Amino acid sequence: MLDIQQLRSDLDSVVSQLKKRGFEFNPAAFTTLEQERKIAQTNTEALQAKRNAASKSIGIAKAKGEDVSAIMVEVAGLGEQLKAGEAQLTEIQEQLKNLMLNVPNLPHDSVPQGKDEAANVEVRKVGTPRSFDFAVKDHTDVGAPLGLDFETGIKLSGARFTFMRGGIAKLHRALAQFMLDTQTEQHGYTECYTPYLVNAETLLGTGQLPKFEADLFGMMHSEAKMYLIPTSEVTLTNTVRDKIVPLEALPIKLTAHTPCFRSEAGSYGKDTKGMIRQHQFDKVEMVQIVHPDKSYEALEDMVCHAENILQALELPYRMVSLCTGDMGFGAAKTYDLEVWLPAQNTYREISSVSNCEAFQARRLQARFRSAQGKTEFVHTLNGSGLAVGRTLVAVLENYQNVDGSVTIPKVLQPYMGGLAALKLS
RNA sequence: GGAGAGCUGGCCGAGUGGUCGAAGGCACUUCCCUGCUAAGGAAGCAUACGGGCUUAAAUCUGUAUCGAGGGUUCGAAUCCCUCGCUCUCCGCCA
């Protein structure tokens, strides 16, 4: 959520910044609503003040044993007026809130401008793609004989679900373990275990609701709707909801390995084959809650924390700065890491690291107490470190051998009981 | 799933219709006293959203908030209804 004060005082600038990311904000509608709000609020509060004063004097008079009928007459019609005024004010505030909840974050000045991913800017490229002296297979063909079973996934659940068995399943687990260990032991994150099912309020805080309900899996549970988390950014970031954290508690660095569930509405036809785009996938997530002065520093750190995983796995990748039109709803700035997939002969997203500045914090009412004793919104950042399923894809493709086996990256071997390769049985 | 108890400010905890945004305590901040890693005294100390003034801040002022929502009333932390959550016991399970 944007700062409504900023909209009041600097509307034109906000509108033009939003335009950069392709969002049309109607300033006239906002201004009208704001004027109505101001009138309604001033009137209502004046009536309330009148009522409160009268009630107080009734109390005083009664305590003294005086007659209160004169004051009672004066207050007689107030109730109805007040009720109408309050209802109107609530209605307007509801509208304003709805409007605000559906406006995306402002892009940071350093974000390249553009309307889609074509305008993203490569920041750096690390590692050299391996050259193959045989025809490379994609991960589905490499994985199938080793236990990557799409048919069973489809039978059990439908398209975009995968079943794994044997060495592949273990490799998948090894990847997650390795990532989690690296984030906790090397980068100072606190390991967390979080719910996978959350309520609507939680998703409102991080920005998935109300606008993106179609991308979520939801179900009814005793009258209330609950949702499967699309990422543990949701649960980790919401740990500070409605909190005023002490200054010295910052930065808070959290990580978790969880499944993620996305209905990916609107992505039909994209990546239909294989496990690039799944309804359920695992991810090790990093979240940082930081002082506003430190958030851009933290963003760079977090990208490195994700890159370190790719480097340890010796997977070639590149880092891109997303342009204004390609960034997510809550992000002020986002870096994506894209891993090299030889079968696709291209780089594909494997991590996304975003600074949301105070956008989520405002929705979450997540604050800290500054050195001056004032409460201020924290800045929140999140990033994948990394998407486990896609990392498995990258390992299968980049480490495949001509005989159909897959070499296990060195850092994963301890997690695989010392196994050096997955071989056909 | 059944029965009971509870939900008040950063924390603990009073408060069953009227000068209650809320006693008291702890913690915290400032000051005084004291000369030693302590004690005593004074004051301050919730959050959000408006409005006035202002370059801005401070300040002033209004409103709302005692789990949430609704109701009764001139007036609700206090009474009524609905819901949520927490705890204890029982049942069931991993």
Side-chain angles (χ1 to χ4, degrees):
Chain A
M1 193 154 59
L2 299 181
D3 181 3
I4 196 156
Q5 310 287 4
Q6 194 184 352
L7 275 118
R8 287 177 187 142
S9 63
D10 205 10
L11 186 56
D12 293 344
S13 152
V14 171
V15 169
S16 74
Q17 287 185 76
L18 286 171
K19 207 182 181 79
K20 285 185 198 168
R21 51 149 66 221
F23 186 88
E24 293 297 336
F25 186 88
N26 184 339
F30 174 78
T31 307
T32 308
L33 208 50
E34 255 297 284
Q35 281 166 351
E36 286 174 16
R37 189 224 93 229
K38 196 164 175 172
I39 293 165
Q41 184 165 350
T42 313
N43 287 345
T44 305
E45 289 187 354
L47 283 174
Q48 285 170 328
K50 193 170 166 191
R51 189 234 10 229
N52 290 347
S55 294
K56 200 173 231 178
S57 49
I58 290 173
I60 294 167
K62 275 202 166 178
K64 290 182 189 158
E66 293 168 2
D67 177 47
V68 295
S69 53
I71 317 174
M72 296 290 262
V73 169
E74 198 181 312
V75 197
L78 253 174
E80 289 306 307
Q81 264 188 78
L82 239 179
K83 204 169 257 183
E86 281 172 348
Q88 191 202 6
L89 180 61
T90 306
E91 161 69 18
I92 293 170
Q93 280 174 333
E94 202 61 34
Q95 283 181 42
L96 259 176
K97 191 177 173 192
N98 265 325
L99 184 79
M100 294 299 289
L101 283 175
N102 284 289
V103 178
N105 203 357
L106 303 180
H108 189 256
D109 285 341
S110 65
V111 172
Q113 276 193 55
K115 78 176 201 311
D116 56 31
E117 61 178 28
N120 293 348
V121 173
E122 182 177 299
V123 177
R124 56 179 170 261
K125 197 179 270 184
V126 177
T128 313
R130 168 184 165 199
S131 58
F132 290 87
D133 51 10
F134 58 92
V136 291
K137 293 186 278 196
D138 75 9
H139 70 279
T140 63
D141 292 333
V142 176
L146 297 170
L148 190 56
D149 182 352
F150 293 102
E151 269 83 76
T152 302
I154 288 166
K155 178 169 74 181
L156 297 178
S157 308
R160 299 195 192 281
F161 286 93
T162 304
F163 194 97
M164 293 181 252
R165 53 165 70 81
I168 290 272
K170 188 166 184 178
L171 182 58
H172 182 261
R173 173 162 61 93
L175 280 165
Q177 300 283 79
F178 166 67
M179 291 174 193
L180 200 51
D181 285 348
T182 304
Q183 300 309 348
T184 56
E185 291 162 19
Q186 311 290 317
H187 301 146
Y189 291 82
T190 300
E191 179 169 348
C192 299
Y193 173 84
T194 88
Y196 304 152
L197 220 40
V198 296
N199 56 37
E201 197 184 348
T202 299
L203 288 155
L204 195 82
T206 29
Q208 285 78 18
L209 289 180
K211 207 170 183 178
F212 305 102
E213 184 169 15
D215 295 338
L216 301 167
F217 285 104
M219 70 202 74
M220 293 310 291
H221 172 253
S222 64
E223 311 279 305
K225 192 158 188 187
M226 296 202 77
Y227 300 85
L228 286 161
I229 53 171
T231 158
S232 47
E233 163 203 340
V234 170
T235 45
L236 295 177
T237 307
N238 268 277
T239 55
V240 291
R241 186 171 85 212
D242 294 324
K243 275 198 174 184
I244 301 174
V245 302
L247 181 62
E248 58 274 15
L250 301 177
I252 298 170
K253 299 169 73 176
L254 306 174
T255 187
H257 163 219
T258 70
C260 304
F261 302 91
R262 297 184 184 178
S263 81
E264 300 277 0
S267 70
Y268 301 104
K270 263 191 210 166
D271 300 307
T272 49
K273 190 186 173 196
M275 58 181 301
I276 292 281
R277 193 175 300 272
Q278 298 275 286
H279 284 317
Q280 172 184 327
F281 63 96
D282 277 27
K283 185 152 63 78
V284 170
E285 183 76 2
M286 307 174 282
V287 159
Q288 289 202 30
I289 315 294
V290 306
H291 190 284
D293 294 346
K294 297 283 169 61
S295 66
Y296 280 92
E297 207 174 295
L299 178 66
E300 301 295 326
D301 285 348
M302 285 175 78
V303 178
C304 290
H305 297 158
E307 285 184 87
N308 286 345
I309 303 286
L310 288 165
Q311 288 172 16
L313 292 169
E314 301 181 69
L315 291 167
Y317 68 92
R318 66 178 195 142
M319 169 181 163
V320 299
S321 180
L322 294 195
C323 74
T324 47
D326 201 28
M327 284 198 308
F329 183 69
K333 179 162 184 164
T334 299
Y335 290 122
D336 270 11
L337 295 179
E338 299 178 343
V339 70
W340 177 254
L341 292 187
Q344 295 193 9
N345 196 40
T346 186
Y347 290 92
R348 290 300 304 265
E349 178 186 344
I350 196 166
S351 173
S352 190
V353 185
S354 299
N355 183 1
C356 298
E357 297 186 1
F359 185 83
Q360 291 179 324
R362 265 182 225 108
R363 293 171 164 246
L364 293 162
Q365 286 295 306
R367 292 162 295 176
F368 70 99
R369 202 170 289 281
S370 73
Q372 293 76 39
K374 296 193 73 173
T375 54
E376 256 185 79
F377 290 115
V378 295
H379 279 193
T380 61
L381 300 98
N382 63 80
S384 7
L386 311 160
V388 180
R390 288 190 180 179
T391 310
L392 180 70
V393 167
V395 168
L396 292 178
E397 292 201 4
N398 284 281
Y399 281 86
Q400 63 181 296
N401 300 312
V402 68
D403 65 357
S405 67
V406 172
T407 304
I408 294 172
K410 276 199 193 62
V411 291
L412 293 182
Q413 290 179 11
Y415 292 89
M416 295 291 287
L419 202 68
L422 292 183
K423 296 196 169 107
L424 303 180
S425 49

